[in-house]
Amino acid sequence: KDGSVFPMELNVSPMSINGAKKFVGILHDITERKHALEAITSAKLEAEQANKAKSSFLSSMSHELRTPLNAVLGFSQLLQEDQDNPLNEDQHESLEHIYSAGLHLLNLIDEVLDLSKIESGKVNIELESVNLIALLTHSLESIAPQLVRAQITLKQELPDKQNIFVKADASRLNQVLSNLLTNAIKYTLSGGSVTVNIRESHSNKIEISVADTGVGIDPQDQTRIFLPFTRLAHANDNEIAGTGIGLALVHQLVIAQGGEVLVKSHQQGVSFELTFITR
């Protein structure tokens, strides 16, 4: 009525009145809807630009951090292996701490970069037929020293079959299993146990469970456990290394391979259950 211009939506329906064909038009003022859509589009563009900037920053920082870090690791190894000028016990122990801390930092850098690639859709997933038993055996062998140091028992509940194939990316599935096993060890007290279970379900699916006897997770925290950089508050948190990236990577990588991952907390401990499609 005031002569202003506004966006509208027009719905027209035909009808017949006394044999004459008529049309009824219903008009809707969609000004608020259009403004909301513009706000959403603008926010999406800003988020995409921020994500690109973050990915570019992380990629650049990776190179800047790796160069001096590789020098620290390299010279630490050279000093430890120097036969002409052998180190005393205190010096050797100090270098071990330097080298261990350097490896830990390098692993954190890799995890942050992996997470960034997944979020930007640049992660490369190549699905193929993977022998789950062979891959799991390799993962268990790689974490054996951690079990010994932490004085934790490994229990295996595996089927008699030596060849069970799933549709997955071998390197990424190995990364998922290693992260879950390492996480289970970190949150299990000395004398506890970690149990790995594989079950063949109906409907062409394989279920993998990694359970521990460590600290449980409160129900309200189970929805946050897979969020990046999430660290749940536990009494012994100060003694546990990490940034809360590992489980976020597990969640994203399992989904990228067409699988599912669930977390269940028990009276004593936590279990992570993966589901993958067979070949």
Side-chain angles (χ1 to χ4, degrees):
K1 290 182 179 181
D2 62 3
S4 61
V5 178
F6 64 91
M8 74 169 192
E9 179 182 80
L10 169 62
N11 294 312
V12 180
S13 299
M15 63 184 300
S16 179
I17 301 178
N18 296 326
K21 192 173 185 180
K22 304 289 185 179
F23 292 90
V24 175
I26 301 176
L27 308 181
H28 293 281
D29 183 346
I30 60 170
T31 302
E32 291 186 6
R33 188 196 306 175
K34 186 176 180 181
H35 288 165
L37 182 60
E38 289 173 349
I40 292 172
T41 302
S42 176
K44 182 181 178 182
L45 288 174
E46 288 180 7
E48 289 175 349
Q49 291 173 352
N51 193 49
K52 288 181 180 178
K54 180 190 71 174
S55 297
S56 176
F57 170 76
L58 288 174
S59 178
S60 175
M61 283 303 297
S62 168
H63 176 74
E64 297 299 326
L65 291 171
R66 283 171 181 273
T67 301
L69 186 55
N70 284 332
V72 171
L73 293 173
F75 281 110
S76 296
Q77 286 181 305
L78 287 175
L79 288 170
Q80 287 176 315
E81 297 170 1
D82 190 351
Q83 300 297 327
D84 296 329
N85 300 286
L87 305 173
N88 60 42
E89 188 175 343
D90 288 340
Q91 291 171 329
H92 187 78
E93 184 179 353
S94 297
L95 274 178
E96 280 288 346
H97 286 302
I98 293 173
Y99 186 72
S100 176
L103 285 178
H104 178 62
L105 180 56
L106 188 61
N107 182 58
L108 292 181
I109 293 171
D110 289 338
E111 286 186 338
V112 170
L113 284 175
D114 273 345
L115 188 61
S116 175
K117 288 178 182 178
I118 292 172
E119 290 179 343
S120 62
K122 294 180 180 178
V123 64
N124 185 28
I125 299 290
E126 296 183 3
L127 297 179
E128 58 183 348
S129 185
V130 177
N131 189 332
L132 179 59
I133 300 297
L135 190 141
L136 178 58
T137 300
H138 173 74
S139 298
L140 293 175
E141 289 174 352
S142 67
I143 58 99
Q146 297 180 47
L147 290 166
V148 174
R149 285 196 298 269
Q151 297 181 341
I152 293 172
T153 303
L154 174 66
K155 299 180 180 179
Q156 302 182 48
E157 298 176 1
L158 309 182
D160 295 332
K161 294 181 181 179
Q162 293 301 308
N163 296 309
I164 295 179
F165 291 89
V166 293
K167 190 176 181 181
D169 183 303
S171 63
R172 293 301 185 178
L173 181 53
N174 180 63
Q175 185 177 2
V176 166
L177 293 173
S178 295
N179 278 4
L180 286 180
L181 290 165
T182 299
N183 186 77
I185 294 170
K186 284 197 301 184
Y187 286 94
T188 301
L189 298 176
S190 177
S193 64
V194 172
T195 303
V196 179
N197 182 296
I198 292 181
R199 297 181 299 273
E200 291 186 84
S201 66
H202 305 293
S203 71
N204 297 325
K205 291 184 178 180
I206 295 292
E207 296 177 355
I208 311 163
S209 170
V210 177
D212 62 58
T213 58
V215 183
I217 301 174
D218 293 334
Q220 64 269 24
D221 289 330
Q222 291 181 25
T223 56
R224 301 192 301 116
I225 193 66
F226 295 119
L227 296 177
F229 306 105
T230 297
R231 295 274 289 169
L232 302 182
H234 292 305
N236 60 341
D237 254 0
N238 293 332
E239 303 172 9
I240 301 174
T243 58
I245 302 175
L247 291 179
L249 272 176
V250 165
H251 185 250
Q252 297 281 10
L253 287 174
V254 169
I255 291 175
Q257 295 175 82
E260 298 175 347
V261 56
L262 297 173
V263 57
K264 295 182 179 180
S265 186
H266 312 285
Q267 268 191 335
Q268 187 180 32
V270 177
S271 65
F272 290 90
E273 299 184 0
L274 313 177
T275 303
F276 282 90
I277 300 172
T278 57
R279 60 177 178 178

